[in-house]
Amino acid sequence: MRHYWRQSILAQMLSAYLLFVIIVVSSGAGFNLFIQQRLQGDVQTADQALAQEIALETSLQLTDAETSLVKLGQLVAQTSSPSDVTTLFRAYQAAQADVEYVYWLDPVGALKVAWPQTSELGVGSEFSPPEVVQRAIASADPVYEVGIAVTTTFSAGVIIAEPIRSFDGRLIGIVAINLSLFELSEPLTTVVNAQLHQKRHLLISIIDSQGELIATPNHQRVLQTVLDELPGADQALHGRVDSRLGTGPDGQNWLFSSVPVPYTGWAVIVQRPASEALAVITQFRIWLWITVALFAIGGLLFWLILLNRVIRPLHTLAIQHQTLPTSEQAIHAHATAVAQRNDEMGGLARSLVRLERDGLEKLGELRTLLETSNAVVSSLDPYA
C-alpha cells in the first residue's frame, strides 16, 4: 500500500485533498463548538442577571411588606375598638396595592377583624393555614407562608403574620396580610410580554421552598409543584446560582437559569428555548453542512475530471510506452488519440509518439548498417 501510494499520483493528490477537507471540517466543527459555548454562556449570563433583578425586587417587596406590617401591628396594639382596627386596615390596604386581605387574629388564631369584609369571612372562624398561627405564636418576628388564607376565600397568596405582644411579652394578637400571587406575577408578565413583542419566547417562574409555583404569567398553574420540571431549580433553593441546558415538559431543550431569592428560601427561574437562544449556531451549523456538501460534490466532480482527463491517460501512457513498439504501425491507438488534444497531455503524447518514431527510425538505420557490415565482412578473405 505504501509502495502504491508513492508511485500513484492519484493516491497522493487524493490524500492531500482529503487532508485539506478534514482540516477545514474539523476547524469548522471546533469553531462551532466554541461559538456555541460562548453564545450559550452569554445568554445564560443575561438570564441570570434578569433573574437576579427579579429576585431582588421580590425580596424588597416582601421586606417592605414585613416592615409595613410591623408598623401596622404597633398601631393595632394601641387600638382596642374593632371599628378603629377596621379603619386602620382600610387605610393600610388602600396604600398597599399588592395586599389583598388584612386580618386581626386573637392569641389562639380566631379571626376578629378582616378587611375587605365579605360574607365568607366570619368573626370567630379559625384562621387557615394553622401553621402560620403556630409559627407566629412561637416567633417574635414576622413569619410568612404560601397558601390560601381562610379557605373559604380561595385566594392564594403570600401570608405574612406579625405577632403583637405587650410590654411584658404577653401575646395580644396576630396581624396578618395576604399578598396576592397574581400581583406578584405582574412584573413577570410584563417582562414576558415585552420579550414576546420582540419575537422572543421567555418564561419566568418563582417557586417557594417546597417547589410550588407562586409567581408565573400562567396564573392557572399557581401553587402547582413544578420542581421536577425546572432543572437546576433545586440548586437555587439551596442558595446556589445555576444555569444548565435541559429538557422541558414539552420535550424540547431549554436554557434554565436559576437564582435564589434572598432571605426567603425561594428561587427565580428564567428559561428560554435553546433553539431560539442558539439560533445563530443553528444557522452556522447549516452553513457548515452546506460547505461540507459542496466540498463533497465539488470534490467528486473535480476527481472525475482529473481521473478522466489526467490520471487515466497518464496511467495508460506510462504502461503503453514502457517499451518501444516493433514498428510504427504497432504504436498504440490510445497514444495517437491523446496526441490530438491541444493541452499539455496532448503535447506529452505527441512527444512520446515522436520519440518512438525517432527511435524506430534510428533502429532501422542501425539494422541496415548492421546488415551491410555483415555482408561486407562475409565477402572478405579471413586470412587477409
Side-chain angles (χ1 to χ4, degrees):
M1 183 66 183
R2 187 175 181 182
H3 179 71
Y4 171 77
W5 183 83
R6 289 182 176 180
Q7 290 187 340
S8 174
I9 296 178
L10 177 62
Q12 295 176 12
M13 296 184 66
L14 182 60
S15 300
Y17 178 77
L18 290 178
L19 179 62
F20 172 73
V21 171
I22 291 174
I23 292 176
V24 171
V25 174
S26 300
S27 301
F31 183 73
N32 172 73
L33 181 61
F34 171 77
I35 293 298
Q36 178 177 352
Q37 293 176 346
R38 183 68 177 270
L39 182 61
Q40 181 175 334
D42 292 343
V43 172
Q44 289 178 339
T45 300
D47 287 349
Q48 286 179 7
L50 175 60
Q52 190 73 43
E53 181 178 357
I54 294 174
L56 291 176
E57 290 181 357
T58 303
S59 179
L60 288 175
Q61 183 178 359
L62 293 177
T63 302
D64 292 343
E66 289 182 5
T67 302
S68 64
L69 184 61
V70 171
K71 295 180 179 178
L72 177 63
Q74 295 173 353
L75 295 176
V76 172
Q78 301 172 6
T79 306
S80 58
S81 172
S83 60
D84 294 339
V85 174
T86 301
T87 302
L88 287 175
F89 284 1
R90 183 190 301 113
Y92 176 81
Q93 198 264 347
Q96 302 289 332
D98 55 346
V99 174
E100 192 170 15
Y101 287 95
V102 190
Y103 310 99
W104 168 242
L105 312 176
D106 65 13
V108 296
L111 184 63
K112 296 178 63 177
V113 178
W115 184 264
Q117 295 177 348
T118 61
S119 58
E120 292 85 0
L121 298 177
V123 176
S125 60
E126 183 179 357
F127 188 81
S128 176
E131 294 82 5
V132 177
V133 177
Q134 296 172 4
R135 292 171 55 195
I137 293 175
S139 175
D141 300 318
V143 297
Y144 59 89
E145 181 81 18
V146 178
I148 299 177
V150 186
T151 308
T152 54
T153 64
F154 296 102
S155 179
V158 180
I159 306 166
I160 305 178
E162 161 70 11
I164 301 175
R165 301 182 184 275
S166 61
F167 292 104
D168 57 359
R170 182 175 55 87
L171 182 64
I172 301 176
I174 301 173
V175 175
I177 59 175
N178 184 25
L179 300 179
S180 173
L181 295 185
F182 295 154
E183 292 291 336
L184 196 65
S185 301
E186 283 304 316
L188 312 186
T189 304
T190 302
V191 175
V192 170
N193 290 337
Q195 291 287 311
L196 192 60
H197 289 159
Q198 300 177 8
K199 307 300 181 181
R200 299 175 183 173
H201 296 84
L202 188 71
L203 294 178
I204 307 176
S205 307
I206 300 179
I207 60 176
D208 64 2
S209 57
Q210 305 301 321
E212 294 182 349
L213 197 59
I214 59 177
T216 174
N218 186 7
H219 295 166
Q220 289 77 15
R221 300 204 64 190
V222 169
L223 294 184
Q224 292 184 10
T225 302
V226 295
L227 190 60
D228 57 341
E229 301 178 7
L230 303 173
D234 55 338
Q235 299 296 321
L237 292 179
H238 289 85
R240 294 186 292 270
V241 177
D242 185 88
S243 293
R244 65 180 64 183
L245 185 66
T247 303
D250 55 356
Q252 298 181 358
N253 287 332
W254 291 72
L255 286 174
F256 295 88
S257 298
S258 306
V259 172
V261 179
Y263 313 114
T264 62
W266 299 352
V268 177
I269 299 91
V270 175
Q271 59 186 100
R272 67 176 68 242
S275 58
E276 180 179 306
L278 304 178
V280 176
I281 295 299
T282 302
Q283 295 177 0
F284 178 79
R285 191 177 292 116
I286 292 174
W287 283 109
L288 180 62
W289 282 111
I290 292 177
T291 302
V292 172
L294 290 177
F295 265 110
I297 297 174
L300 178 61
L301 295 177
F302 172 77
W303 287 113
L304 288 176
I305 296 174
L306 183 66
L307 182 64
N308 291 326
R309 300 288 295 177
V310 178
I311 302 300
R312 186 173 295 169
L314 276 178
H315 181 71
T316 305
L317 290 175
I319 293 177
Q320 293 177 350
H321 296 280
Q322 289 180 351
T323 59
L324 287 174
T326 56
S327 65
E328 185 173 348
Q329 288 73 21
I331 296 177
H332 296 282
H334 179 270
T336 305
V338 175
Q340 303 300 320
R341 292 168 51 174
N342 295 324
D343 54 10
E344 291 81 356
M345 188 60 63
L348 176 61
R350 288 192 294 272
S351 298
L352 290 174
V353 172
R354 190 184 309 113
L355 181 61
E356 287 182 341
R357 289 174 178 172
D358 291 344
L360 291 174
E361 183 179 354
K362 298 300 181 182
L363 287 177
E365 294 176 355
L366 289 175
R367 186 178 298 108
T368 301
L369 180 59
L370 180 61
E371 292 175 353
T372 303
S373 299
N374 289 335
V376 171
V377 170
S378 62
S379 64
L380 296 178
D381 184 358
Y383 294 102

